[in-house]
Amino acid sequence: MIWGFEGLVAIGRVVYRAWWRRSRWVRCRRSWRGGLIRQLADPAAAALSHDLLEDLVAEQGRELLRRLLQAHLDLRAMRERRAALRARRGAGGAGMIGVDEVVRRRLESGHHRQLATIVGTVTVTRCAWRAPGAANLYPADAALSLPAGRHSAGLARLAVREAVRGSFDAAKAAITSRCGPVIGKRQLEEAVVAAAADIDAFYAQQIPLPRTAEELLVISVDGKGVVMRPEGLRPATRQAAERHRATFRTRLASGEKPCRKRMAMLGVVYDAVPAPRRGHDVIAVPGGRSGDRPARSGPAARSKWLCGSVSADPGEVIAKVFDQAEARDPRHARTWVVLIDGARHQLGLIRAEAARRGVAIHIVIDVIHVLEYLWKAAWCLHAGGDPVAEGWVAAHALSVLAGRVEDAAAALDAQATAAGLGPGRRGGVDAAVRYLRGNAAFLRYDEALVAGWPIATGVIEGACRHLVNDRLDITGARWGLAGAEAVLTLRAVIANGDFDAYWRFHRAQEHRRVHQTRYQAELDLTA
């Protein structure tokens, strides 16, 4: 048989590619054997301590895993090219149709892209379907569900886990120690922001487990300031910061505010079985408890659900909290208890949201805030450090817990007058009297205790400390709006115990956005 020149060239290409793939596989296998195994079998390794052996195995083992991943990707690329060529020959010219309805009939192999993974950076080789004036389509990208950027989903997940519990610098150092230099600080921040994109959609499609009508449905909200970069401040705060002129160079003057914080709004919803109590179960009588009857515990929080936002307005966060509450009690058959700290702005938003939804709520102001006002009044009537002040506060607090709010306010006013306190010395007493009388409608602790309701905002206060203070308020942190929002919302998802489920949902959404929206049809073999 006489071969033409083009036939000989084609045969030569096939032989060369087969030899190259074979030699590459052999080289990889030899390097694996000649790397980690040879070093461990070498007599010199017998002199290494266990920590040096650990370092050797960890470093070389990661490289071994990277090469295995690379070899698998190369194998898939080879199979893809063979399958595409067979399809074209068998169908007389195949094509790929995108959402732009352009048929791409030109097939090119050897297109490369880098992918940073938890075992190192690998190269993904795949085929491209092309047409003049149209963007390329890469079916292998969809099959592998590759991200739009350089960093893999596993690396993004690790970045989220590390970044939400410590600084971005510490997260980068931890990832580099485990995976090598696969991601920079800016890319890490971008990965965290992208990872939080589907949190609202995730919770919108969740259906909470049903509860009995006897269980309480408790709502609580609170705000916490976060130090922001100037561009992340709300307009009013940014304008105040621009107008601000510091009194001192090295510190703030008394009452002076730096105008550098943006309020993060947090909310919590939880279920609780009623636990009736009396005032003496909350605060010991002056002189202490006798010990004949132990104090009864309050209602325990169950199935806590947290949310928060730095970018959204407080009303939007309160609406999310009510959404979660209505999902738990769509028919409004349960008792809704709302715990707040007395902030008028929050109170107005809560009452407006409840009225809009037609749900009856029972608002209770946190008893801890009442105690703080009583302690301020106590220092107007007692010397600093006087142990008698504690019994004095307890006596007035028990009066408030018994529902005698007006009596407690009148008693404070009378004691200050009897002590002859002038206007400059009775500020704490006057503040406590105003607080008690102004919020008397929300201080019906006698009814709340008999009904078994919670009367303290410890759950939301703890959430503020955990979600905000432990991460967003670390020393020296100044936040951009997108980064603060992402870290706060992801910490809430993790605190809710939903991160694994959320990540599966997020990956499905990413696949749809990056790949499924690009293709109108799969490989069309009908030409």
Side-chain angles (χ1 to χ4, degrees), residues 186-384:
R186 177 177 294 182
Q187 289 73 32
L188 191 150
E189 295 177 7
E190 293 172 351
V192 172
V193 172
D198 299 306
I199 292 177
D200 288 342
F202 169 72
Y203 280 117
Q205 55 88 42
Q206 277 200 325
I207 301 176
L209 294 175
R211 295 284 182 172
T212 61
E214 291 74 22
E215 284 186 281
L216 301 172
L217 182 58
V218 186
I219 293 173
S220 190
V221 296
D222 201 0
K224 189 71 177 177
V226 178
V227 179
M228 307 292 291
R229 293 196 289 267
E231 66 273 12
L233 296 171
R234 297 187 190 276
T237 309
R238 185 167 60 250
Q239 293 171 7
E242 292 170 353
R243 294 192 303 265
H244 178 261
R245 296 294 179 268
T247 305
F248 301 117
R249 182 174 57 85
T250 57
R251 60 172 297 164
L252 296 174
S254 178
E256 187 177 14
K257 294 184 178 180
C259 301
R260 59 176 187 169
K261 287 188 175 183
R262 183 181 178 118
M263 191 63 66
M265 191 70 179
L266 287 87
V268 64
V269 181
Y270 61 89
D271 305 310
V273 176
R277 292 174 292 166
R278 297 186 301 175
H280 292 175
D281 295 314
V282 180
I283 296 176
V285 296
R289 292 190 177 90
S290 62
D292 295 337
R293 183 183 65 81
R296 284 176 284 193
S297 300
R302 300 178 179 178
S303 303
K304 290 186 292 185
W305 179 84
L306 297 167
C307 71
S309 178
V310 181
S311 61
D313 292 331
E316 296 178 53
V317 176
I318 290 173
K320 286 183 183 179
V321 170
F322 271 80
D323 287 341
Q324 173 67 202
E326 274 202 310
R328 297 188 182 203
D329 182 27
R331 297 186 179 182
H332 304 167
R334 298 166 61 183
T335 300
W336 291 38
V337 179
V338 180
L339 290 167
I340 60 173
D341 61 7
R344 290 296 173 183
H345 180 56
Q346 295 176 11
L347 179 60
L349 292 173
I350 289 170
R351 299 177 83 173
E353 189 66 30
R356 186 176 70 83
R357 297 171 186 259
V359 58
I361 58 174
H362 304 276
I363 300 176
V364 179
I365 285 183
D366 176 31
V367 70
I368 304 300
H369 284 75
V370 175
L371 292 175
E372 290 298 323
Y373 277 95
L374 291 177
W375 273 106
K376 291 177 182 178
W379 298 131
C380 296
L381 297 165
H382 300 82

Side-chain angles (χ1 to χ4, degrees), residues 46-312:
L48 298 178
S49 58
H50 83 280
D51 56 323
L52 295 178
L53 285 171
E54 282 181 320
D55 293 340
L56 173 64
V57 171
E59 181 178 353
Q60 296 295 329
R62 184 172 65 236
E63 174 61 15
L64 172 60
L65 294 176
R66 189 197 69 80
R67 293 188 179 188
L68 286 171
L69 177 58
Q70 181 66 71
H72 175 76
L73 293 174
D74 292 342
L75 180 61
R76 290 178 72 143
M78 180 182 65
R79 290 173 175 172
E80 182 200 19
R81 184 175 182 279
R82 288 178 177 175
L85 290 174
R86 283 197 302 267
R88 289 193 63 181
R89 295 191 189 104
M96 177 73 69
I97 306 175
V99 293
D100 53 8
E101 298 185 353
V102 175
V103 180
R104 294 154 175 83
R105 299 186 184 278
R106 182 179 175 185
L107 176 65
E108 286 188 0
S109 60
H111 284 240
H112 305 283
R113 62 170 291 183
Q114 300 293 306
L115 181 67
T117 74
I118 58 175
V119 294
T121 301
V122 294
T123 301
V124 182
T125 305
R126 67 265 204 257
C127 294
W129 291 88
R130 309 186 65 186
N136 293 351
L137 293 183
Y138 300 97
D141 286 10
L144 286 164
S145 192
L146 296 181
R150 177 189 177 94
H151 303 97
S152 72
L155 190 56
R157 180 188 176 103
L158 179 60
V160 169
R161 284 290 193 182
E162 293 294 339
V164 299
R165 64 183 180 185
S167 69
F168 287 116
D169 287 324
K172 179 179 178 297
I175 294 173
T176 301
S177 175
R178 174 178 170 180
C179 308
V182 292
I183 191 170
K185 181 180 176 181
R186 177 177 294 182
Q187 289 73 32
L188 191 150
E189 295 177 7
E190 293 172 351
V192 172
V193 172
D198 299 306
I199 292 177
D200 288 342
F202 169 72
Y203 280 117
Q205 55 88 42
Q206 277 200 325
I207 301 176
L209 294 175
R211 295 284 182 172
T212 61
E214 291 74 22
E215 284 186 281
L216 301 172
L217 182 58
V218 186
I219 293 173
S220 190
V221 296
D222 201 0
K224 189 71 177 177
V226 178
V227 179
M228 307 292 291
R229 293 196 289 267
E231 66 273 12
L233 296 171
R234 297 187 190 276
T237 309
R238 185 167 60 250
Q239 293 171 7
E242 292 170 353
R243 294 192 303 265
H244 178 261
R245 296 294 179 268
T247 305
F248 301 117
R249 182 174 57 85
T250 57
R251 60 172 297 164
L252 296 174
S254 178
E256 187 177 14
K257 294 184 178 180
C259 301
R260 59 176 187 169
K261 287 188 175 183
R262 183 181 178 118
M263 191 63 66
M265 191 70 179
L266 287 87
V268 64
V269 181
Y270 61 89
D271 305 310
V273 176
R277 292 174 292 166
R278 297 186 301 175
H280 292 175
D281 295 314
V282 180
I283 296 176
V285 296
R289 292 190 177 90
S290 62
D292 295 337
R293 183 183 65 81
R296 284 176 284 193
S297 300
R302 300 178 179 178
S303 303
K304 290 186 292 185
W305 179 84
L306 297 167
C307 71
S309 178
V310 181
S311 61

